């Protein structure tokens, strides 16, 4: 599904080039649950942005579902994002004036997928346990409920990959467990999940943990499928 070879990303800070990624290599198979960990400045967010087609590498290869995407232009990357990738963020990114149902429907509107869209969005809200809240706006929902809406929205275009960037960072410990159990259920149903976190408790839900430091992968921990 994902095959990354010698991936390099450099930025220019004044006259000084900064290497955010230093020739990273790894693969992720379909239906895997992988966590990416590392301290601030390790390169994990840069790597997540490239995997999510939000940024392009300076050099190296990134193949997604058998297609090279590292050299695509912005329009082509946007098309890949809409079709292949669902995003879940720490701060939810829900539109405050829209209801839960309307927020979930947004990606389908952008992708111009109208057939049975509302019924499918309601199915996803039911899947995350929020169908009865479909008419509520974000300010009428708890943090955990908002994240559940965000997860339903991320799934609405049937992505092959779900990317989650610190999805429990704004939640209390009890709600964090509930959200991670939901991710586990999605994974067990066949969803590929890549999660960026700095919390060992969150990473423990994944099958594999990719640990980064200074733009390099320094360790990959293999865990059992039941290591939750």
């Amino acid at each position: 599904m994902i095959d990354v070879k010698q991936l390099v990303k450099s930025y220019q800070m004044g006259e000084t080039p900064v290497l955010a990624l230093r020739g990273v290599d790894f693969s992720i198979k379909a239906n895997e649950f992988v966590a990416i960990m590392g301290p601030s400045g390790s390169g994990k967010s840069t790597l997540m942005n490239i995997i999510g087609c939000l940024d392009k590498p300076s050099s190296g290869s990134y193949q997604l579902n058998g297609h090279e995407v590292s050299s695509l232009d912005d329009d082509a990357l946007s098309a890949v994002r809409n079709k292949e990738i669902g995003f879940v963020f720490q701060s939810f990114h829900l539109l405050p004036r829209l209801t839960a149902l309307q927020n979930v429907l947004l990606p389908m509107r952008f992708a111009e997928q109208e057939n049975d869209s509302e019924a499918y969005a309601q199915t996803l809200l039911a899947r995350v346990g929020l169908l009865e809240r479909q008419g509520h706006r974000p300010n009428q929902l708890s943090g955990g409920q908002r994240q559940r809406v965000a997860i339903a929205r991320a799934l609405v275009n049937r992505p092959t990959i779900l990317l989650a960037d610190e999805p429990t960072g704004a939640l209390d410990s009890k709600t964090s467990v509930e959200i991670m159990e939901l991710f586990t259920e999605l994974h067990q149903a066949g969803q590929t999940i890549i999660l960026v976190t700095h919390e060992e408790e969150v990473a423990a839900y994944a099958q594999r943990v990719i640990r980064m430091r200074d733009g390099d992968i320094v360790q990959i921990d293999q865990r059992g499928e039941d290591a939750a």
Side-chain angles (χ1 to χ4, degrees):
M1 169 164 286
I2 289 177
D3 193 18
V4 168
K5 294 180 179 178
Q6 288 300 296
L7 207 65
V8 173
K9 181 66 178 181
S10 62
Y11 298 97
Q12 201 71 24
M13 299 281 288
E15 297 182 356
T16 306
V18 176
L19 276 176
L21 296 176
R22 302 171 179 266
V24 170
D25 294 281
F26 67 92
S27 297
I28 295 175
K29 298 177 182 178
N31 305 333
E32 271 199 283
F33 188 171
V34 177
I36 300 174
M37 294 194 73
S40 178
S42 64
K44 64 182 187 298
S45 295
T46 300
L47 181 58
M48 176 70 101
N49 287 339
I50 292 174
I51 293 173
C53 296
L54 295 168
D55 198 1
K56 292 184 279 189
S58 302
S59 64
S61 173
Y62 169 29
Q63 290 195 0
L64 175 60
N65 294 325
H67 301 284
E68 183 66 47
V69 298
S70 60
S71 57
L72 295 179
D73 62 25
D74 290 343
D75 288 341
L77 286 174
S78 179
V80 172
R81 284 197 305 272
N82 287 338
K83 181 180 179 183
E84 305 286 356
I85 301 167
F87 294 91
V88 180
F89 301 98
Q90 175 177 342
S91 54
F92 318 133
H93 290 332
L94 301 179
L95 295 185
R97 295 186 179 182
L98 300 185
T99 66
L101 178 61
Q102 291 167 335
N103 268 287
V104 173
L105 282 167
L106 270 180
M108 296 184 101
R109 301 288 190 243
F110 289 132
E112 299 180 347
Q113 297 181 25
E114 299 294 336
N115 294 337
D116 298 322
S117 57
E118 186 167 315
Y120 184 59
Q122 289 173 325
T123 297
L124 288 175
L125 282 171
R127 188 175 183 183
V128 300
L130 281 181
L131 182 59
E132 75 283 359
R133 300 277 183 165
Q134 63 178 307
H136 289 61
R137 290 182 171 81
N139 66 356
Q140 298 172 305
L141 302 172
S142 68
Q145 289 171 336
R146 281 180 244 173
Q147 193 61 292
R148 288 174 180 271
V149 172
I151 292 169
R153 180 188 58 191
L155 294 170
V156 78
N157 280 345
R158 299 174 173 86
T160 56
I161 299 168
L162 187 62
L163 293 184
D165 190 1
E166 300 282 4
T168 63
L171 305 176
D172 61 50
S173 58
K174 179 178 181 294
T175 307
S176 296
V177 170
E178 293 171 355
I179 292 300
M180 291 312 302
E181 287 176 348
L182 176 57
F183 278 119
T184 299
E185 291 171 11
L186 293 171
H187 167 242
Q188 290 172 346
Q191 181 68 54
T192 304
I193 300 174
I194 304 172
L195 179 146
V196 166
T197 183
H198 67 278
E199 299 179 65
E200 291 286 351
E201 297 88 347
V202 171
Y205 286 83
Q207 292 172 292
R208 282 197 296 157
V209 180
I210 297 173
R211 299 182 185 273
M212 299 189 67
R213 184 176 295 275
D214 298 329
D216 285 320
I217 293 174
V218 295
Q219 186 175 336
I220 298 179
D221 300 335
Q222 183 73 42
R223 303 173 185 266
E225 288 189 12
D226 297 324

